[in-house]
Amino acid sequence: MIAEKGVWNKLRSRLLFTGPTLFAFITVMIVPFLYGIYLTFTNWDGISTSHSLVGLSNYGEVFKDGVFWKSFGLTLKYVFLSVVLINAIAFALAYMLSRGMKGQSIFRAGFFVPNLVGGIVLGFIWQFIFSNVLVFFGTKAGIPFLSASWLADPDTAFWSLVIVTVWQYAGYMMVIFVAGLMSVPGDILEAASIDGANGWTKMRKMILPLMIPSFIVTIFLSLQRCFMVYDLNLTLTKGGPFKSTEMVSMHVYEKAFLSRDYGVGQAEAFVLFLLVAAITLLQVYFSKRMEVEA
Amino acid sequence: MVGSKSPIPWLKTVLLTAGLILFIVPFVVLILNSFKENKAITSNPLSLPERLDFTNYKNAFEQMNYLTAFSNTLVITLVSVLLISMFAAMTAHYFVRNNTKFNQYTFMIMVASMIIPFQAIMIPLVKIYGSLGMLDNKWSLIYMYLGFGSSLAVFIYHGFVKSIPAELEEAAMIDGCTRTQTFFRIVFPVLTPTTATIAILNVLWIWNDYLLPSLILVDPEQRTLPLSTYSFQGTYTSDYGPLMAALVLTILPIIVVYLFAQKYIIQGVMQGSIK
C-alpha cells in the first residue's frame, strides 16, 4: 500500500488520479441515466424550457403503443436469431482455425475485416448487394427467390438484417473463441483420446465446458450489440418496407427526436434498459454456474 | 492448444475458403463498382470496370468534404483514445493500490454501468448538454467519449495493474519519486501492452461511431466520416457510382492501418476479452 502523508496530499492524489475519469463518468453516464428516469415522469416536448410531472402516464402510453411492442417483439426475435448464429458460426470458425493449419492467421485476419467498418457503411454496401447484385444474379441465373429485392419484402428484409449482423460480428467473436481454445490444455484431450473418447465426446464433455468463460463474453457482447442495433438498421432497411423491420432502438429515436414525444420515448428506452439488464445478468449468472476447472 | 487432426483436411480448407470468399466479396463488389458509371453499375453490377476512372472519387471527395471529415474523425478519435487510456490507467492504478471500501464500490458501479444501453442515455444527454450550450462542438464529443469509454478501460486496466508487484513502485518512491512520477515512469510503461489493447478497442468504436456524433454534431463542417457518408447518400440516392467511391474512401484509412497492424489488432481484441 502506498500512502501519502497528510490529508491534503491524500486528497490531491485522489483528485489527480480519479478526478477526470470519475467526473466524466458521472456527468456523462450517471447523471443522464438518473435524469432520464426522472424525465419518464414528465411531459417534456423537447423545445419548451418547462415541463410538469405527469406521474405514470408515460408508462401507460408505452403499454398502449402497439408499434413499440411490435418492434420490441421483432427485436427479441432478431437478437435471438443473431446471437445464436453469430456464436455458432464464430465457434465453428475458431475451432477450425486453432489447430495450426496452414495459413490460419490469414483466414483469421480475413474473417475479422467486417469489424473494421461501421454499421453505416456496411448497411450501404449490403443494401447495394441485396437490391442490385443479388437481383441481377438471380434474374440472369433464373433463381426466383433472388430475382426480387430482399429488402422489398418484410420477411426477407428481416432476414437480410440478421444475415448482415451475423456476417459483421462472427469474425469478432471468432477471435475471442480462438483465445479461449488456445488455453484448453492439450494434454487432457490427449489423455481422453487414449482412454478412447472420440472427437464428438471430447467436444461435448471437455472442450465446450472449458469454453464457458469465452461463451460468457461472446454472448454478452453479441447481446449488447444486437439490442442496440441502429446504424445498420438505418442504412440497410431504414426500418422498411412499411416500418416492418424497425428495431426498438430506431423506434425510440423516432419517438423522441422526430415525434417529439420525449417522455414516452425515454420511458420506452428505460423499458429497453430493464430488459437488456435482466437478460444479460441472467445470462452471466447461469453461465457462471456452469463453469468448470480443467 | 486443441490437438488431433481433422479426418478430411481438404474439406475444411474448402469450407473455410468458401466462407472467406463470402466475407470478402461485398468489399470486392464495392471496389469494382466505384470505378464504373451509373449506367454500367445498374446494367451489370458484377462486370469489371472498363478502365480506372477516378471521376466518382473526385466527386465524392469534394461532395463529402473528405479532408475536413477525415481530420475531424482523426482528431476526435486520437484525443479521445489518448485521454481514455491515460486517465483510466491512473484511476485503475489508484483503485488497486488504495483498496478501500469506497473505491471498491465506485469500481463496482463503473463495471455495472456497462450494461446500460446507450439508448437509455441519449435523450437526457442531449437535453442536458443542449441546455448547457455544449452541442455542436467536437471537444464536448471527446469529453463524452471519455465518460462512456472509461468504465471498460478502467475494468481492463484494473485486472492488469493487480499483476504488477507493489514493491516495484515502493522502491521508486523510496528513491524519491512522487506518486505521479512513479506512475508515469514505472507503472504506465509496464502497462503498454494493455494500453495497446484499450487503444485498439476504442479506435474501432470511436472511428466508426454514428449515433452519438449524429446527436452532438450538427454543423456540416464538424461532421465525422460516418456522418458525412450518411448525408452524402441523402443527396445521391439513385447515383451509385459516387456513393460507392465515398464508401471506399470512408473505409480506406482503417483498412490501410489494418494491413500493417493486423496482428496487433487481433491480439488486442483477444486480450480485451480475457477477464
Side-chain angles (χ1 to χ4, degrees):
Chain A
M1 193 81 146
I2 304 164
E4 297 81 357
K5 289 183 185 69
V7 180
W8 164 240
N9 281 336
K10 269 186 188 156
L11 186 69
R12 198 179 56 182
S13 49
R14 171 177 286 278
L15 279 180
L16 183 68
F17 276 77
T18 66
T21 317
L22 289 183
F23 191 77
F25 171 70
I26 290 168
T27 52
V28 174
M29 287 282 290
I30 302 300
V31 172
F33 181 69
L34 298 176
Y35 186 62
I37 298 177
Y38 163 77
L39 274 184
T40 64
F41 301 108
T42 69
N43 62 355
W44 185 52
D45 62 0
I47 309 162
S48 59
T49 47
S50 65
H51 49 251
S52 46
L53 285 169
V54 291
L56 287 170
S57 79
N58 284 331
Y59 287 96
E61 289 292 316
V62 173
F63 279 100
K64 278 186 276 174
D65 184 355
V67 183
F68 171 70
W69 291 107
K70 205 182 139 237
S71 87
F72 199 86
L74 192 75
T75 309
L76 283 179
K77 189 174 142 197
Y78 161 81
V79 171
F80 177 77
L81 289 168
S82 305
V83 169
V84 169
L85 289 172
I86 289 171
N87 281 281
I89 291 174
F91 185 81
L93 289 176
Y95 187 68
M96 289 192 274
L97 290 173
S98 61
R99 308 208 246 163
M101 86 176 258
K102 222 178 185 179
Q104 67 178 9
S105 59
I106 297 172
F107 278 109
R108 285 183 201 165
F111 285 118
F112 188 79
V113 168
N115 291 288
L116 304 169
V117 183
I120 288 287
V121 174
L122 293 181
F124 281 137
I125 298 177
W126 278 91
Q127 188 215 47
F128 178 71
I129 305 255
F130 279 119
S131 53
N132 289 62
V133 180
L134 286 183
V135 173
F136 172 80
F137 185 73
T139 325
K140 287 278 165 201
I143 307 170
F145 80 100
L146 285 180
S147 35
S149 170
W150 276 33
L151 301 177
D153 173 82
D155 281 331
T156 47
F158 173 81
W159 278 102
S160 319
L161 211 53
V162 174
I163 290 170
V164 180
T165 308
V166 173
W167 173 83
Q168 182 182 4
Y169 292 129
Y172 196 92
M173 305 308 157
M174 168 201 74
V175 169
I176 297 175
F177 282 129
V178 167
L181 283 168
M182 289 202 297
S183 64
V184 172
D187 49 349
I188 62 158
L189 291 176
E190 218 167 286
S193 299
I194 294 166
D195 289 345
N198 62 24
W200 176 237
T201 314
K202 275 189 287 181
M203 170 64 81
R204 212 160 42 94
K205 300 262 182 193
M206 311 182 77
I207 299 175
L208 283 179
L210 285 170
M211 286 294 287
I212 286 173
S214 301
F215 274 104
I216 296 179
V217 179
T218 56
I219 295 178
F220 178 83
L221 287 177
S222 41
L223 275 175
Q224 283 275 324
R225 291 179 184 196
C226 293
F227 267 117
M228 298 212 287
V229 64
Y230 177 78
D231 307 9
L232 186 66
N233 200 187
L234 183 67
T235 55
L236 183 65
T237 67
K238 265 209 162 139
F242 322 114
K243 293 201 172 246
S244 59
T245 58
E246 193 179 82
M247 295 297 151
V248 73
S249 172
M250 186 182 254
H251 179 81
V252 168
Y253 181 92
E254 299 202 330
K255 197 88 195 167
F257 296 113
L258 301 178
S259 321
R260 304 224 161 259
D261 235 340
Y262 284 80
V264 180
Q266 182 58 28
E268 291 176 347
F270 192 65
V271 171
L272 174 71
F273 157 71
L274 290 178
L275 178 87
V276 174
I279 291 183
T280 41
L281 290 179
L282 282 177
Q283 185 263 127
V284 173
Y285 174 77
F286 280 109
S287 3
K288 283 262 179 214
R289 283 181 35 172
M290 287 162 65
E291 265 183 55
V292 292
E293 293 277 323
Chain B
M1 203 74 185
V2 182
S4 90
K5 293 225 159 23
S6 161
I8 351 175
W10 60 267
L11 182 68
K12 194 173 88 172
T13 315
V14 170
L15 266 176
L16 284 170
T17 313
L20 190 63
I21 290 171
L22 273 179
F23 266 66
I24 301 302
V25 146
F27 295 105
V28 176
V29 171
L30 172 74
I31 293 168
L32 286 184
N33 285 297
S34 69
F35 290 107
K36 286 155 52 173
E37 277 182 18
N38 204 36
K39 230 192 295 167
I41 296 173
T42 40
S43 68
N44 183 354
L46 291 172
S47 69
L48 293 173
E50 282 169 10
R51 60 198 172 87
L52 273 187
D53 180 3
F54 283 95
T55 326
N56 291 333
Y57 282 91
K58 202 171 148 281
N59 285 342
F61 192 87
E62 285 163 10
Q63 288 292 318
M64 66 189 280
N65 212 345
Y66 186 77
L67 282 183
T68 316
F70 176 81
S71 53
N72 286 339
T73 320
L74 193 69
V75 170
I76 291 169
T77 309
L78 284 185
V79 179
S80 307
V81 169
L82 208 76
L83 294 181
I84 292 173
S85 356
M86 192 178 80
F87 287 138
M90 292 172 84
T91 307
H93 179 251
Y94 190 87
F95 282 171
V96 172
R97 296 293 180 238
N98 299 56
N99 199 15
T100 60
K101 273 271 173 296
F102 178 78
N103 288 343
Q104 282 173 12
Y105 284 126
T106 317
F107 178 63
M108 269 165 55
I109 292 173
M110 291 188 90
V111 174
S113 78
M114 285 194 277
I115 61 168
I116 302 176
F118 176 67
Q119 282 74 16
I121 293 180
M122 65 180 182
I123 297 167
L125 188 78
V126 171
K127 178 164 163 53
I128 293 171
Y129 289 91
S131 63
L132 293 171
M134 283 174 72
L135 296 187
D136 218 3
N137 180 329
K138 62 161 93 64
W139 302 104
S140 310
L141 185 61
I142 289 169
Y143 175 71
M144 287 174 194
Y145 279 127
L146 175 63
F148 286 122
S150 54
S151 301
L152 179 67
V154 169
F155 177 65
I156 295 177
Y157 273 124
H158 197 271
F160 285 92
V161 171
K162 274 195 284 192
S163 65
I164 302 175
E167 290 78 20
L168 199 67
E169 293 162 48
E170 278 156 14
M173 290 185 84
I174 291 166
D175 288 347
C177 277
T178 63
R179 186 171 183 146
T180 320
Q181 286 170 330
T182 312
F183 177 80
F184 281 105
R185 291 188 189 170
I186 313 280
V187 182
F188 204 49
V190 174
L191 285 173
T192 305
T194 317
T195 306
T197 298
I198 290 184
I200 287 160
L201 293 179
N202 284 305
V203 167
L204 288 180
W205 162 48
I206 297 172
W207 184 275
N208 292 315
D209 196 21
Y210 173 78
L211 190 50
L212 177 62
S214 79
L215 295 170
I216 306 300
L217 306 173
V218 186
D219 178 13
E221 282 297 303
Q222 298 277 353
R223 277 182 193 147
T224 60
L225 278 175
L227 296 186
S228 78
T229 318
Y230 185 69
S231 69
F232 180 80
Q233 193 268 347
T235 48
Y236 279 84
T237 10
S238 57
D239 209 355
Y240 278 116
L243 175 65
M244 297 289 134
L247 295 177
V248 174
L249 285 174
T250 309
I251 61 181
L252 197 63
I254 206 139
I255 296 285
V256 170
V257 172
Y258 187 64
L259 287 179
F260 291 102
Q262 168 258 113
K263 208 176 101 194
Y264 302 99
I265 292 177
I266 301 244
Q267 253 164 21
V269 172
M270 280 187 187
Q271 291 297 325
S273 71
I274 298 169
K275 293 188 178 177

